[in-house]
Amino acid sequence: MTGSFVAHELGIELVRRLGAVLPTIMRRDKDLGRQLRRSASSVVLNLAEGANSDPGNRQARYSTAAGSAKETKSALIIAESWGYIEDPELLALADRVTAVTYRLAYGHGPPPRPNGPGPTVPEPEPVPMTAEEQILS
């Protein structure tokens, strides 16, 4: 099993799990719900496209998938912060998808920081890899 396959399967599972909470979020905040639906779909679609692309396009698609995974996770944090949902397991799954897609796109290590002035934000604690993910890396 390749890393892209693992990431794709985790992304599909995230989309399935979102199906249970998306109607609740949509009732409370249509814009956030639509953005969440688009970003979660983008993760899976870009992973699928990247898996069958040439190396340059593959990197671009995986990078887009990683950004969309972070956007999906952020939208879920916002929904939870506003009190629309409370689902720690879903947030943990979104965190795992974000970590796996990031590793697929950029390898190991912290995300790149933008250049320029401004406060530094501490890096989040890394998500430990499962045994299967360790074998694939």
Side-chain angles (χ1 to χ4, degrees):
M1 208 179 324
T2 66
S4 63
F5 180 78
V6 170
H8 186 266
E9 290 301 306
L10 285 170
I12 291 288
E13 180 61 24
L14 179 61
V15 168
R16 285 186 183 126
R17 294 279 312 278
L18 282 171
V21 299
L22 196 56
T24 301
I25 295 169
M26 292 287 287
R27 278 193 298 276
R28 304 286 302 274
D29 188 334
K30 283 190 189 313
D31 290 335
L32 182 62
R34 287 180 184 136
Q35 191 163 357
L36 179 56
R37 179 184 290 136
R38 283 191 307 272
S39 65
S41 296
S42 175
V43 172
V44 177
L45 295 171
N46 277 289
L47 287 169
E49 185 176 348
N52 292 313
S53 295
D54 63 77
N57 284 330
R58 181 177 306 125
Q59 174 62 32
R61 295 298 74 77
Y62 288 169
S63 177
T64 300
S68 293
K70 182 70 173 177
E71 181 180 4
T72 300
K73 179 182 168 186
S74 296
L76 285 170
I77 291 169
I78 290 168
E80 184 181 60
S81 297
W82 283 118
Y84 304 157
I85 61 168
E86 186 175 335
D87 191 338
E89 290 177 10
L90 181 59
L91 285 171
L93 178 59
D95 191 49
R96 180 163 230 62
V97 170
T98 300
V100 170
T101 56
Y102 182 85
R103 280 195 299 270
L104 187 61
Y106 304 110
H108 299 286
R113 292 190 176 274
N115 294 327
T120 58
V121 178
E123 294 297 328
E125 290 295 317
V127 176
M129 288 192 283
T130 64
E132 182 179 75
E133 291 167 347
Q134 288 175 2
I135 291 169
L136 297 173
S137 64

